[in-house]
Amino acid sequence: MKIKVGIIGATGYAGAELVRILVSHPQVQLVALTTQSYEGKLFYDVYPHLYKYVKQECRELDLPAIVSESDIIFVALPHGHAIPVAQEALRQGKKFIDLGADFRINRREVYEQWYKVEHTAPELLEQAVYGLPEIHRNKIRSASLVGNPGCYPTSVILGLAPLLAYGLVDTDTVVADCKSGVSGAGRGLSLGAHFAEVNENFRAYNVGMHRHTPEIEQELGNLAGESMVISFTPHLTPMNRGILSTVYAKLNQEMTSEQVRSIYEEYYHSEYFVRLLPPGMLPQTKAVAGSNHCDVVPVVDPRTGRVIVISAIDNLIKGAAGQAVQNMNLMYDLPETMGLDRPGLYP
Amino acid sequence: MKIKVGIIGATGYAGAELVRILVSHPQVQLVALTTQSYEGKLFYDVYPHLYKYVKQECRELDLPAIVSESDIIFVALPHGHAIPVAQEALRQGKKFIDLGADFRINRREVYEQWYKVEHTAPELLEQAVYGLPEIHRNKIRSASLVGNPGCYPTSVILGLAPLLAYGLVDTDTVVADCKSGVSGAGRGLSLGAHFAEVNENFRAYNVGMHRHTPEIEQELGNLAGESMVISFTPHLTPMNRGILSTVYAKLNQEMTSEQVRSIYEEYYHSEYFVRLLPPGMLPQTKAVAGSNHCDVVPVVDPRTGRVIVISAIDNLIKGAAGQAVQNMNLMYDLPETMGLDRPGLYP
Amino acid sequence: MKIKVGIIGATGYAGAELVRILVSHPQVQLVALTTQSYEGKLFYDVYPHLYKYVKQECRELDLPAIVSESDIIFVALPHGHAIPVAQEALRQGKKFIDLGADFRINRREVYEQWYKVEHTAPELLEQAVYGLPEIHRNKIRSASLVGNPGCYPTSVILGLAPLLAYGLVDTDTVVADCKSGVSGAGRGLSLGAHFAEVNENFRAYNVGMHRHTPEIEQELGNLAGESMVISFTPHLTPMNRGILSTVYAKLNQEMTSEQVRSIYEEYYHSEYFVRLLPPGMLPQTKAVAGSNHCDVVPVVDPRTGRVIVISAIDNLIKGAAGQAVQNMNLMYDLPETMGLDRPGLYP
Amino acid sequence: MKIKVGIIGATGYAGAELVRILVSHPQVQLVALTTQSYEGKLFYDVYPHLYKYVKQECRELDLPAIVSESDIIFVALPHGHAIPVAQEALRQGKKFIDLGADFRINRREVYEQWYKVEHTAPELLEQAVYGLPEIHRNKIRSASLVGNPGCYPTSVILGLAPLLAYGLVDTDTVVADCKSGVSGAGRGLSLGAHFAEVNENFRAYNVGMHRHTPEIEQELGNLAGESMVISFTPHLTPMNRGILSTVYAKLNQEMTSEQVRSIYEEYYHSEYFVRLLPPGMLPQTKAVAGSNHCDVVPVVDPRTGRVIVISAIDNLIKGAAGQAVQNMNLMYDLPETMGLDRPGLYP
């Protein structure tokens, strides 16, 4: 019997990407797609690529009913809105994955400081699992409540994990300079996402104060075994999909690129979705666009004693919907790659 | 037992798209990828999105050996180069699909006039089938030699077929104004495909003399039952994938958009890959990018007595590799949609 | 003494382009920039490229005061909104140029039919001049009230004018297939101008019903000396600036490309801003982007008996603000090219 | 009498941009445009935006003759090729500006180590001046031989200069993460600049080994008064024009953003082309595209003790041709802004 899936906030880009992936997932039946903006419209009117694939209409959010019809509920809404859904899901004994930020930060006060709102269900934070399978696979398997990582954090954490796990870098020297396509900002209208403003433009934003910072610091700190403070600067690049992160850190000792690479090889040896590229190749967003892969390459610069890690993901897939499906597969003991095992689209 | 596939010219965009589609095709085993430019290199070095999906290296073209190892051979080479391959394939009793132009034109003199070269195997033209399944499905099923349609012709012919089949338009008034993404020009280097020249630029090219013209006229003429001469103007638009065709013709009699639409509904009723969009929607390239669909909508303009048909395809899929796989499925009595039944990527 | 200029609606793209051009115009002093959206903000906060060039703030629209301070008033607002401004300008004896549609259509009923609103000052239509200098230069010199042409009409009319003036084509066969960059849709937010929706997308819109149609038909009809009905289809292309129009018409008699070209040469011989490109070149939007030029080339297709004219403009300059300044120069007996005599930016 | 200018390598992007700027420069007469690729062609055939602006044809490089006809010679060629031109120019007592790398590095051995070629005229390095006017204005005024800075170095050096000049940062902690449009790679064909490879792609390249590194380190070191080693990573972003640099450094002491800003205000107070943006604004490439400005903003992140400086330029103007003209103006005692005092093009 197929898993009955409800998606709350299905008409944003992350939600629609969930729908696209799940209509081809052999073990899933979509039972409810809710939206605030397009109630009563056919889903394909909102997303024409899915014409003939999705026959359902967009429903309003009748929370108890939606949860009751579903085995698992995905929420793709702005922060704050997932909390009541999680509560209802747990009440009814259903599984729950939040693509937003409400269940990513372990410590309530950190969440409240960065998001400037009260967390109204702090008691749930303890059972919430940070849904980065390559780091927390076993906890995810048995979790009912998963906080799916942000797009930037996915690329930065997977890029640095081996170095921190092995204590190879000075944790005080980490700089993460990240570049994202525009779909990361969602489908909501804003001057900052207006075509003529973005096209032929490159800019930084939220310098020193992006909300993905505490999530990155929490996970990197866990890996390093000490609390960490990093510089993280997000940038907007004129393309639809993809994040490329360039992460800098001082090595604690002299190492060659080959030595660092062999540590990555060992660390990611059995990971299907993390691809350590062979020597001579560097990650680029086009090589992962349309797939659930994270491509990664560490480079040692002997002149400066720094290691520079380049990582690339599709922000809507490994950075959002694909990773959420990967988590669902783990939660249901399905092959982790089910519905996600296709290469990207190039060019 | 799986179908053994050889791809000759695998490192162009159409060839690489064939590889991408076929690595996920449940009934196919890739046995040989040949190239002129990257001999001896690993295929993923040339196309990094396929790292971990394709382990083979690019081989040189040892024609008899490649044909002998394969059950079916796809050729994605410039015109002229498919002829010797076709001859060898037929000699060895193998199936053959040409993604180039050598077997699309029934009449040798038309081919030679537009392509400015001699056709060195005109005797094969008789058994070659024009591989547009929606028009020639039955012939394709039993064909050994298929000339896969050009990208522009696919969009124009599917756009006009119902009107011509029913004799509804004045065949002397057809204007096809077509706009293509840049991948249609292939991966070969040229100033016309240099990023800074194409980006933020829109231009027409080959006005009145593009080589897809005779192919369009042949198929439209067959549908109409009379020889046809049309205006066809290709344009380059700053994007990677997609063709949108805007086709104009004078109606022979007054008709409403609804009347014309109902004829399209009937004509394409059982076609999976042609999507007549519901009223209120118009085709756009993004809605088909990454899929094998052709979206189509006819609009009647009562002021001018013209019908304007808009059609959209992904030029590398329904306009090339996807259609070739659709043909292969027919030739092997497989479900026509096998390996091709996923929606596109949006945005 | 410099000309005092007021711009009403200065914070849309056409308005901002007027500001950019006029800050470098040697005979102009900007006295007032009004806006509905950014009242009280510094203009450079809204348009950062003009930081250090424009010190003024955005003012609210106090109509009598603004008109009184100005010698000439430009209006860049949605249709309907220019009428009261025109009335006040004329009352105070000031000159007036409308970049919108309120004074382009001579016949009130045509305006009302296409724009679905009442024209509240039809008596002004008689003295309004259609501001296409290459066609109406003398009338513009002495006009007080100019309706600046739409972007699409500028490209189509300049493309066809010689053919119609000389009666060379069948007026019933004209098809204008036009492609525009996204800035033509303005800075107002809409899903249709959202980056991720436009990028990697090409689409037609308003098929058979775009409001620039009657304006094109009026001017082409005047040139031809008979009323005309044409097919005009606008398309959106993923770039910021530029319109390329491909216009088709049946020739009344056999002519060669050279014969048609010589007629264009004669017709546009003394025009600075219309560039008939030499043989071997075709118009492309990048070659005119950032300039006030309209590049044009006619091609005869002897197979079909059609002439295909390609024309290209920068929609914000020759299609809006540049042409408005060209009109102002004429109205003040300044050299027509003043402030406009620089080549575009390439690449 | 006008300055007679010869441009050697006029058909690359930097050369063509020189031509575009200089045709509008009131004190310049273009006397010779040379090229290796388009000898004998009219310049506008190679760059259609300049049709009607430049009537000359592309000449072959007859060095003594070209130098003899010119008062000043600009060279826009790959490194190594400027040296013989410089020698001939000095022999004939002409002024000389190299847009390439041959005269930027003071120390021959550093040049040879990074560029992997012998410097064949090391004796000229002593009289060569690094042409960054905001740093070396006085030396440039009296120079005959100017090495025009690289595009990345211009953005990084102008971004950091005040901090280093005042000794405010730990020189061992500097990370420069830079993102460039594709025109920086020139007009030469390569797969890395093929439209479909670049569009919808973001990637790093030459990690830890880009040749602009020694030039940046030399100038930063001079400003700091001690030798410096930095991390510099260039990236390619899918757009034509613009560089945005994000530069990180640890502050030597606690400072606020306001304190750092006031130092920038003082340092750049009288600079026309460096715009310290007002609080609330951040540099973006679109705000400088088409202009000679460098926009800059420093931000202090109190959490990490780092200052993050964002700077933006148009790589072909302030990063190449515009800066070269700025240098020429200085060398001829003309107003520094002559021919360069127009705002950019937005959007």
Side-chain angles (χ1 to χ4, degrees), chain C residues 15-66:
Chain C
E17 193 68 352
L18 264 176
V19 175
R20 182 187 68 83
I21 294 171
L22 292 176
V23 292
S24 304
H25 192 290
Q27 293 298 324
V28 160
Q29 178 193 356
L30 287 176
V31 297
L33 307 175
T34 83
T35 173
Q36 283 199 297
S37 326
Y38 297 101
E39 231 179 279
K41 277 199 121 174
L42 290 159
F43 195 79
Y44 65 72
D45 271 342
V46 187
Y47 281 101
H49 66 308
L50 294 172
Y51 181 52
K52 300 254 173 133
Y53 291 89
V54 180
K55 303 207 155 34
Q56 286 152 295
E57 45 174 69
C58 303
R59 292 169 55 178
E60 72 170 319
L61 177 51
D62 174 355
L63 191 49
I66 301 274

Side-chain angles (χ1 to χ4, degrees), chain A residues 51-92:
Chain A
Y51 182 53
K52 299 255 172 131
Y53 290 89
V54 181
K55 304 209 153 35
Q56 286 150 296
E57 48 174 69
C58 303
R59 291 168 54 177
E60 71 171 320
L61 178 51
D62 175 355
L63 192 48
I66 302 274
V67 170
S68 151
E69 296 168 48
S70 311
D71 297 319
I72 182 168
I73 299 98
F74 293 87
V75 176
L77 292 176
H79 68 90
H81 292 77
I83 295 171
V85 188
Q87 290 170 320
E88 181 66 24
L90 296 180
R91 209 185 53 78
Q92 295 195 27

Side-chain angles (χ1 to χ4, degrees), chain B residues 177 179 196-197 199-202 217 231 233 235 237 239-240 246 248 284-286 303 306 346, chain C residues 172 177 179 196-197 199-202 217 231 233 235 237 239-240 246 248 284-286 303 306 346:
Chain B
D177 193 281
K179 302 87 178 176
E197 303 285 319
N199 185 39
E200 283 292 292
N201 200 4
F202 189 93
E217 290 178 348
S231 283
T233 311
H235 300 76
T237 188
M239 60 185 194
N240 282 7
T246 312
Y248 303 82
Q284 46 182 319
T285 62
K286 192 186 281 303
R303 294 175 65 251
R306 288 196 186 89
Y346 187 110
Chain C
D172 193 38
D177 192 282
K179 301 87 177 175
E197 302 286 318
N199 186 40
E200 283 293 293
N201 201 3
F202 189 93
E217 290 179 347
S231 283
T233 312
H235 301 77
T237 188
M239 61 186 192
N240 281 7
T246 311
Y248 303 82
Q284 47 182 318
T285 62
K286 190 186 281 303
R303 295 175 65 252
R306 288 196 185 90
Y346 187 108

Side-chain angles (χ1 to χ4, degrees), chain C residues 15-341:
Chain C
E17 193 68 352
L18 264 176
V19 175
R20 182 187 68 83
I21 294 171
L22 292 176
V23 292
S24 304
H25 192 290
Q27 293 298 324
V28 160
Q29 178 193 356
L30 287 176
V31 297
L33 307 175
T34 83
T35 173
Q36 283 199 297
S37 326
Y38 297 101
E39 231 179 279
K41 277 199 121 174
L42 290 159
F43 195 79
Y44 65 72
D45 271 342
V46 187
Y47 281 101
H49 66 308
L50 294 172
Y51 181 52
K52 300 254 173 133
Y53 291 89
V54 180
K55 303 207 155 34
Q56 286 152 295
E57 45 174 69
C58 303
R59 292 169 55 178
E60 72 170 319
L61 177 51
D62 174 355
L63 191 49
I66 301 274
V67 170
S68 153
E69 294 169 50
S70 311
D71 298 320
I72 182 168
I73 298 98
F74 293 87
V75 176
L77 293 176
H79 68 90
H81 292 75
I83 294 171
V85 188
Q87 289 171 320
E88 181 64 25
L90 295 181
R91 208 185 53 77
Q92 295 195 28
K94 303 303 177 71
K95 294 183 194 293
F96 176 87
I97 298 177
D98 178 20
L99 279 79
D102 291 345
F103 298 101
R104 294 174 188 160
I105 310 281
N106 299 333
R107 291 169 52 212
R108 167 199 194 156
E109 63 275 18
V110 174
Y111 174 89
E112 296 183 342
Q113 173 194 340
W114 285 85
Y115 286 87
K116 316 282 182 207
V117 290
E118 198 190 342
H119 197 296
T120 56
E123 69 285 1
L124 296 183
L125 293 179
E126 223 164 288
Q127 56 177 300
V129 175
Y130 190 75
L132 192 51
E134 288 77 9
I135 308 294
H136 298 294
R137 183 170 286 115
N138 286 332
K139 281 192 194 162
I140 295 165
R141 282 194 215 276
S142 54
S144 291
L145 174 44
V146 166
N148 207 58
C151 47
Y152 289 120
T154 296
S155 72
V156 174
I157 298 164
L158 291 178
L160 275 183
L163 292 169
L164 294 170
Y166 285 83
L168 299 176
V169 295
D170 178 348
T171 55
D172 193 38
T173 63
V174 174
V175 168
D177 192 282
C178 300
K179 301 87 177 175
S180 177
V182 182
S183 63
R187 212 187 199 192
L189 302 183
S190 72
L191 192 58
H194 193 64
F195 181 84
E197 302 286 318
V198 172
N199 186 40
E200 283 293 293
N201 201 3
F202 189 93
R203 61 183 180 89
Y205 65 103
N206 286 356
V207 179
M209 55 193 210
H210 192 282
R211 285 164 168 172
H212 283 174
T213 310
E215 184 185 336
I216 300 172
E217 290 179 347
Q218 162 184 295
E219 294 297 314
L220 294 185
N222 287 345
L223 285 159
E226 55 176 299
S227 78
M228 283 182 62
V229 176
I230 67 156
S231 283
F232 160 55
T233 312
H235 301 77
L236 207 61
T237 188
M239 61 186 192
N240 281 7
R241 282 175 182 249
I243 284 178
L244 189 119
S245 291
T246 311
V247 191
Y248 303 82
K250 283 266 188 189
L251 286 166
N252 283 330
Q253 59 190 93
E254 259 187 46
M255 296 183 77
T256 64
S257 281
E258 293 65 36
Q259 288 172 319
V260 171
R261 164 181 292 277
S262 72
I263 282 160
Y264 276 68
E265 243 157 38
E266 190 189 318
Y267 194 87
Y268 286 129
H269 182 262
S270 56
E271 294 297 341
Y272 182 85
F273 290 120
V274 179
R275 301 191 299 190
L276 173 65
L277 300 187
M281 295 174 74
L282 282 178
Q284 47 182 318
T285 62
K286 190 186 281 303
V288 295
S291 84
N292 197 48
H293 292 292
C294 176
D295 284 358
V296 63
V297 165
V299 177
V300 171
D301 180 4
R303 295 175 65 252
T304 59
R306 288 196 185 90
V307 58
I308 298 115
V309 187
I310 315 281
S311 71
I313 59 169
D314 182 321
N315 58 302
L316 290 178
I317 306 185
K318 185 62 178 168
Q323 186 143 270
V325 172
Q326 190 182 352
N327 282 320
M328 181 198 75
N329 287 341
L330 286 170
M331 292 160 86
Y332 280 94
D333 246 333
L334 298 171
E336 193 168 334
T337 62
M338 187 173 276
L340 298 168
D341 55 349

Side-chain angles (χ1 to χ4, degrees), chain B residues 69 90 153 159 162 213 339:
Chain B
E69 295 169 49
L90 296 181
T213 310

Side-chain angles (χ1 to χ4, degrees), chain D residues 31-45:
Chain D
V31 296
L33 308 176
T34 84
T35 173
Q36 283 200 297
S37 327
Y38 297 101
E39 233 179 276
K41 276 198 119 173
L42 290 160
F43 195 79
Y44 64 71
D45 270 343

Side-chain angles (χ1 to χ4, degrees), chain A residues 124-144:
Chain A
L124 296 184
L125 294 179
E126 224 164 288
Q127 57 177 300
V129 175
Y130 190 76
L132 192 51
E134 288 77 10
I135 308 294
H136 298 295
R137 183 170 286 115
N138 284 333
K139 283 195 193 160
I140 295 165
R141 283 191 215 277
S142 55
S144 291

